[in-house]
Amino acid sequence: MNRLLDRDPDLQARCPVRDILDRIGDRWSVLVINELASGTLRFTALRRAIPDISQRMLAQTLRTLETDGLVSRTVFPTIPPRVDYALTALGRSLLDPLAALVAWAEDHREAVHAARAASKERAEANADALAT
């Protein structure tokens, strides 16, 4: 996330929220939290809603979010077993900040894509200049 924190263990120790930001800021956690914002879902419904995620990664992400108290897991003693996932109060408290982040991304998407394209063009021009 922040390369300076990775290089400086003292700075890392002084940033007590880093592990939490790393967790909630990863690609899959944000998508799972977003899907659970609409209510309780079963594993297969989450998997269909996030088609890019593997079954293993979804299970790992759900376990991690449960460990952090953001998602609750309810197992029903049926055959086959039914497992429901839902946001906890703590998980729901993330919805407004995530909505703000998504809104920022939507508002600035074109500018970010333009900056990426310009950066790529500069890198290619530099590579061409070095090759000649």
Side-chain angles (χ1 to χ4, degrees):
M1 186 166 153
N2 184 331
R3 302 283 187 245
L4 182 59
L5 289 175
D6 292 337
R7 290 189 303 257
D8 186 346
D10 293 329
L11 187 57
Q12 190 174 22
R14 292 189 309 260
C15 186
V17 297
R18 180 173 188 244
D19 66 323
I20 296 168
L21 293 174
D22 285 346
R23 179 71 47 84
I24 62 174
D26 76 60
R27 175 182 182 186
W28 302 119
S29 293
V30 170
L31 294 174
V32 168
I33 290 167
N34 184 59
E35 289 302 324
L36 290 174
S38 62
T40 301
L41 293 173
R42 295 174 74 174
F43 186 91
T44 54
L46 280 166
R47 182 86 197 280
R48 278 192 302 270
I50 310 169
D52 300 3
I53 195 169
S54 69
Q55 183 170 334
R56 179 178 176 271
M57 185 54 67
L58 178 56
Q60 181 180 336
T61 300
L62 287 165
R63 274 193 303 273
T64 300
L65 291 171
E66 182 184 10
T67 298
D68 287 348
L70 302 172
V71 169
S72 66
R73 179 179 184 263
T74 305
V75 180
F76 296 92
T78 59
I79 298 178
R82 177 179 155 196
V83 181
D84 287 349
Y85 295 92
L87 290 177
T88 62
L90 186 59
R92 284 189 302 276
S93 73
L94 266 176
L95 295 178
D96 286 341
L98 284 179
L101 182 60
V102 168
W104 181 91
E106 289 171 347
D107 291 346
H108 296 89
R109 184 173 80 68
E110 289 181 21
V112 170
H113 284 256
R116 287 178 184 170
S119 177
K120 183 178 178 183
E121 287 177 17
R122 283 191 306 274
E124 289 171 354
N126 288 340
D128 290 343
L130 290 174
T132 58

